[in-house]
Amino acid sequence: MRDRAPWRYPARIVPTAFLGIIALGTGLMMLPAATAGPHGAPFVVAVFTATSTVCVTGLTVVDTPTYWSTFGEVLITVLSQVGGFGIMTLATLLSLLVSRRLRLRNRLIAQAESAGLAGGNIGGILIRIALVMFVSEAIIGTILMLRFWLHYDYSPGRAAYQAVFHAVQSFNNAGFTLYPDSFVRFVDDWWICLPVALGVLGGSIGFPVLFELAREARRPAGWSTHTRLTVWGTVLLTSAGSLLFLVFEWSNPDTLGPLGANTKVLAAFFQDVMTRSGGFNTIDLGMMHSQTIAVANIMMFIGGGTASTAGGIKVTTFLLLAFVIWAEIRGEPDVVVRHRRIAEETQRQAVTVALLGVALVAAGTLALILLDERVPFDRALFEVTSAFATVGLSTGITSDLPPSAQLVLVALMYIGRVGTIAVGTAIALNTRRRQYRYPEERPLVG
Amino acid sequence: MRDRAPWRYPARIVPTAFLGIIALGTGLMMLPAATAGPHGAPFVVAVFTATSTVCVTGLTVVDTPTYWSTFGEVLITVLSQVGGFGIMTLATLLSLLVSRRLRLRNRLIAQAESAGLAGGNIGGILIRIALVMFVSEAIIGTILMLRFWLHYDYSPGRAAYQAVFHAVQSFNNAGFTLYPDSFVRFVDDWWICLPVALGVLGGSIGFPVLFELAREARRPAGWSTHTRLTVWGTVLLTSAGSLLFLVFEWSNPDTLGPLGANTKVLAAFFQDVMTRSGGFNTIDLGMMHSQTIAVANIMMFIGGGTASTAGGIKVTTFLLLAFVIWAEIRGEPDVVVRHRRIAEETQRQAVTVALLGVALVAAGTLALILLDERVPFDRALFEVTSAFATVGLSTGITSDLPPSAQLVLVALMYIGRVGTIAVGTAIALNTRRRQYRYPEERPLVG
Ligand SMILES: [K+]
Ligand SMILES: [K+]
């Protein structure tokens, strides 16, 4: 009999923990107290919303402010916070564990070591993560509170409530809002859009990078390859995405068209950041040109940083694949990122994460159009990518889908959230030793 | 000054040769004699049709039987034959060259050697390929001729002409037809559909495999990994694709619905084979369910065998990636296909071909919807995949696209046809020696 204790298989911690919290959240959301009406939420609504909060996605099947009671909204806040904190701590700790195992196996360079975590004990890391989250959310919340109170004339209590709710959603990249049209009403409000967007960006970087930046922000030459890839990748993707949104939607009368030039820039930047996992929107996604939707699909699929609240295949995975292709085209035997050779195992891991992601999105899209023949292909693809990458943007079809299709999205949110981490960790921890080798062969490809 | 002689850079032979033949074909098609009307074809029509024939794609911007004269149709036949023969011989010879270079570098196992080509000289190989093509086309043509003559009451001359035209199109996977609705009128005719489908299948296997099968058909245990992957991959994809088409379209009143059960099976099999590069259709693609279109996209992208008249990323590339992921998930240090280890270089080559294909299809789709805003995303994706994989199936939008978008498809057909071969060969031939290695690092992915 095999020993199945969880500490023997740390890769199982994340899926199990998330399953438990989702089950608890579903139960609580089915209580009559959680909804505005007299009855509790039906099972599919509860499990969808609980998964969407815990996996910090933000897709909804009901209108958040009218369907849920205050208790329900507090539940959404707490579950988003638990989900965001959980994913960041567990992913960070697992990366540390992976690095220690690798060191035991006498490898020279370990991931987390180079990413600046080697010195910390587990308790210290948890406290540091909690502190960064709390401070970030407090800053965002304070700015939002003042703005809601002073500019929009909310009562101080309501301003504080709304500010806390959206600050938590922002840093955790969770994407729920208390407005039926997300953030469209704030499209030209720099005091709302900037803190929210910067909060989303901060949460989507990932703690291994944040910790290293805190120590070495002024010495980029000393950054680890992981930090280097994440930072430059984020800068590159954010600039390119914002620019494409700006150019493609500049004169679209239903999106950026009516806005002033400055506001267009703000809205394009805001939408690009949200697309790579935030999940809010200030322009109507259903009215975007299809070329913009296509770019948004790609950005959602790539997502944010590793061990962050963002989803997707991750910025490092995407950039590493680009470096692999570049090395291959130039005929270089090694994949080199600025004087550092990328380990073969890491290359294969990146390929696996990306191709499994493609397969999952393809299968999910197929399932959605099979289960609801009214759904056009491009809308199904968008919604499935949004669920897989835990983005939460929607062209509006989710609430009208049949329950079976909604459960497909539930599965995609869950797999998209815990799958990449579990697969990545399992691969890194379970690598078998080579006992013997078969003779080599080279089939023709291409 | 660097030496740029073509024999120093054999990877450049294929792109250059195809460019030359396309230019010649374009010029000939602009002659008034090539069209049914009094004037020659405009440049965009000529370059599109010439590229589509030479790259054995089959996409059209005009109705073949009414637009072109008999001379124009003969041109299409000759150019398809030259293109199909060219791609098979050049790809086969380059794979042989690659294997010889590798042997010079003291590698033990060489691709073409294991694929059964090592003994042949260049002249012998060309003659064998020409012979297989001629005999196959003669058999298909004879069956079609008899059927056209005896069953459809064509005059003997017309039956022979139609038979030769479609036999050449079939084995070369070229996809042009002399009927405005492709092969829809023959949907229930086994004497037409079976020879054409088997011809397409034969042409899409690739010569390295055909030669090995000719020698070792009865001894599968001795097959090279390349042959093994191609044969089982083709069987697997053809069965799975036919079954999905059959299930998805079984009761669709606009496609398989009105047909008898046997005819449904024939039509589903025919359509799956055509999707992986043949380019004919017996059911109206524009009326298919979107789930069937989604499966067709995937099948088109995968395509046929290496060094064949089929396009796409190739069956071996697709299966190798599946084996890479499988090994990765199981934590195996080597990728093993039935007691043979797949070389690291081959794995990286497969990843490069597949990811460049994805990038090209994404960029092409984006370009198409940017250049013509009336085109829906899913139709643009289908047409672009069809062009990249030189399949030639169409939902009917190509002829209505603006010239700029048609030129994008021309570029995709050309790159899709010569790109994978050129990239694959360039990679294999130009691999640089490792002078020194940088220290290894392991960024976090997923
Ligand atoms: K989200
Ligand atoms: K074709």
Side-chain angles (χ1 to χ4, degrees), chain A residues 56-403:
Chain A
V56 292
T57 308
L59 283 176
T60 55
V61 287
V62 293
D63 179 41
T64 306
T66 53
Y67 188 87
W68 302 104
S69 66
T70 304
F71 171 62
E73 291 173 7
V74 171
L75 259 183
I76 290 174
T77 304
V78 172
L79 289 175
S80 301
Q81 184 68 72
V82 168
F85 183 70
I87 205 71
M88 284 204 275
T89 50
L90 288 174
T92 307
L93 292 176
L94 282 175
S95 72
L96 188 61
L97 182 67
V98 166
S99 86
R100 284 191 180 149
R101 283 279 178 97
L102 290 177
R103 227 179 323 165
L104 286 179
R105 289 197 205 143
N106 235 342
R107 309 256 173 145
L108 277 174
I109 313 282
Q111 312 182 357
E113 207 162 19
S114 53
L117 288 174
N121 57 51
I122 291 182
I125 289 169
L126 292 187
I127 290 172
R128 278 198 279 171
I129 293 179
L131 212 66
V132 170
M133 294 189 87
F134 178 76
V135 171
S136 307
E137 289 170 9
I139 295 173
I140 304 164
T142 306
I143 300 174
L144 292 184
M145 204 273 274
L146 290 173
R147 186 71 179 167
F148 286 144
W149 178 36
L150 300 175
H151 186 79
Y152 291 95
D153 290 327
Y154 293 11
S155 71
R158 180 150 170 262
Y161 180 80
Q162 297 261 348
V164 168
F165 185 93
H166 292 107
V168 169
Q169 296 299 313
S170 159
F171 194 79
N172 287 291
N173 280 220
F176 281 83
T177 66
L178 294 179
Y179 307 100
D181 57 355
S182 190
F183 269 35
V184 171
R185 66 189 64 192
F186 302 125
V187 62
D188 58 354
D189 190 332
W190 292 71
W191 288 98
I192 302 280
C193 286
L194 264 195
V196 166
L198 294 177
V200 165
L201 257 185
S204 75
I205 293 284
F207 273 90
V209 174
L210 288 184
F211 287 156
E212 190 172 335
L213 285 182
R215 279 192 338 206
E216 315 237 16
R218 288 152 187 249
R219 217 168 53 80
W223 289 356
S224 69
T225 303
H226 179 71
T227 295
R228 202 183 293 283
L229 285 171
T230 305
V231 169
W232 291 120
T234 303
V235 169
L236 186 81
L237 288 171
T238 308
S239 323
S242 307
L243 192 68
L244 286 177
F245 280 14
L246 194 62
V247 170
F248 287 171
E249 297 294 320
W250 184 269
S251 53
N252 182 341
D254 297 311
T255 59
L256 297 186
L259 308 174
N262 282 345
T263 311
K264 284 184 203 219
V265 173
L266 175 68
F269 167 73
F270 187 87
Q271 206 49 58
D272 176 69
V273 170
M274 295 310 146
T275 303
R276 288 194 308 107
S277 175
F280 299 133
N281 56 288
T282 52
I283 52 182
D284 185 350
L285 295 165
M287 305 307 280
M288 278 182 172
H289 289 310
S290 48
Q291 57 266 38
T292 321
I293 293 287
V295 170
N297 273 326
I298 295 169
M299 291 294 170
M300 294 199 293
F301 187 77
I302 298 172
T306 306
S308 78
T309 51
I313 61 168
K314 305 296 182 307
V315 171
T316 41
T317 311
F318 174 73
L319 279 190
L320 279 181
L321 291 177
F323 276 100
V324 168
I325 292 176
W326 182 239
E328 187 69 353
I329 289 176
R330 289 173 49 89
E332 305 283 358
D334 288 334
V335 177
V336 174
V337 180
R338 205 165 182 279
H339 307 320
R340 290 291 177 278
R341 176 165 51 92
I342 305 301
E344 300 267 353
E345 288 92 329
T346 306
Q347 296 175 36
R348 277 212 302 268
Q349 216 172 316
V351 168
T352 305
V353 167
L355 292 181
L356 282 179
V358 169
L360 208 59
V361 168
T365 306
L366 200 55
L368 226 60
I369 49 185
L370 271 172
L371 292 170
D372 188 348
E373 58 180 18
R374 300 164 305 161
V375 177
F377 173 78
D378 52 342
R379 303 222 155 191
L381 178 65
F382 188 89
E383 221 76 4
V384 163
T385 309
S386 177
F388 163 75
T390 66
V391 175
L393 295 177
S394 172
T395 58
I397 63 167
T398 296
S399 49
D400 295 330
L401 290 174

Side-chain angles (χ1 to χ4, degrees), chain B residues 23-322:
Chain B
L24 183 68
T26 305
L28 289 172
M29 285 182 172
M30 290 176 78
L31 296 176
T35 64
H39 305 292
F43 172 72
V44 173
V45 169
V47 77
F48 192 100
T49 310
T51 310
S52 188
T53 46
V54 176
C55 297
V56 290
T57 308
L59 282 175
T60 54
V61 287
V62 293
D63 179 41
T64 307
T66 52
Y67 189 87
W68 302 105
S69 65
T70 304
F71 171 63
E73 290 172 7
V74 171
L75 259 183
I76 290 175
T77 303
V78 171
L79 289 175
S80 301
Q81 184 68 71
V82 168
F85 182 71
I87 206 71
M88 285 203 275
T89 50
L90 288 174
T92 307
L93 292 177
L94 282 174
S95 71
L96 187 62
L97 182 67
V98 166
S99 87
R100 284 190 180 150
R101 283 279 178 96
L102 290 177
R103 228 179 323 167
L104 286 179
R105 289 197 205 141
N106 236 342
R107 309 253 174 145
L108 277 173
I109 314 282
Q111 310 183 4
E113 208 162 20
S114 54
L117 289 174
N121 56 51
I122 292 182
I125 290 169
L126 292 188
I127 289 171
R128 278 197 281 171
I129 293 179
L131 212 66
V132 171
M133 294 190 86
F134 178 76
V135 170
S136 306
E137 289 170 7
I139 295 172
I140 304 164
T142 307
I143 300 174
L144 292 184
M145 204 272 274
L146 290 173
R147 187 70 180 168
F148 286 143
W149 179 37
L150 300 176
H151 186 79
Y152 292 94
D153 291 329
Y154 293 11
S155 71
R158 179 147 172 265
Y161 180 79
Q162 297 263 345
V164 168
F165 185 92
H166 292 107
V168 168
Q169 296 299 313
S170 160
F171 193 81
N172 287 292
N173 279 222
F176 281 83
T177 66
L178 293 178
Y179 307 100
D181 58 354
S182 190
F183 269 36
V184 171
R185 66 188 64 192
F186 301 124
V187 62
D188 59 353
D189 190 331
W190 294 72
W191 287 99
I192 302 280
C193 287
L194 265 194
V196 167
L198 294 178
V200 166
L201 257 184
S204 75
I205 294 283
F207 273 90
V209 174
L210 288 184
F211 287 155
E212 189 171 337
L213 286 181
R215 279 192 338 206
E216 315 238 17
R218 288 152 187 249
R219 216 167 55 79
W223 288 355
S224 70
T225 304
H226 179 72
T227 295
R228 201 182 294 283
L229 286 171
T230 305
V231 170
W232 292 118
T234 303
V235 169
L236 186 81
L237 288 170
T238 307
S239 323
S242 307
L243 192 68
L244 286 177
F245 280 14
L246 193 62
V247 170
F248 288 170
E249 297 294 321
W250 184 269
S251 52
N252 183 342
D254 297 312
T255 59
L256 296 186
L259 307 173
N262 281 347
T263 311
K264 285 182 203 220
V265 173
L266 175 68
F269 167 73
F270 187 86
Q271 206 50 58
D272 176 69
V273 170
M274 294 310 146
T275 304
R276 290 194 307 103
S277 175
F280 297 134
N281 56 289
T282 53
I283 53 184
D284 185 351
L285 296 165
M287 305 307 279
M288 276 183 174
H289 290 308
S290 48
Q291 56 266 36
T292 320
I293 293 286
V295 171
N297 273 327
I298 296 170
M299 291 294 170
M300 291 198 295
F301 187 75
I302 298 172
T306 305
S308 77
T309 50
I313 61 167
K314 305 298 182 309
V315 170
T316 42
T317 310
F318 175 73
L319 279 189
L320 278 181
L321 291 177

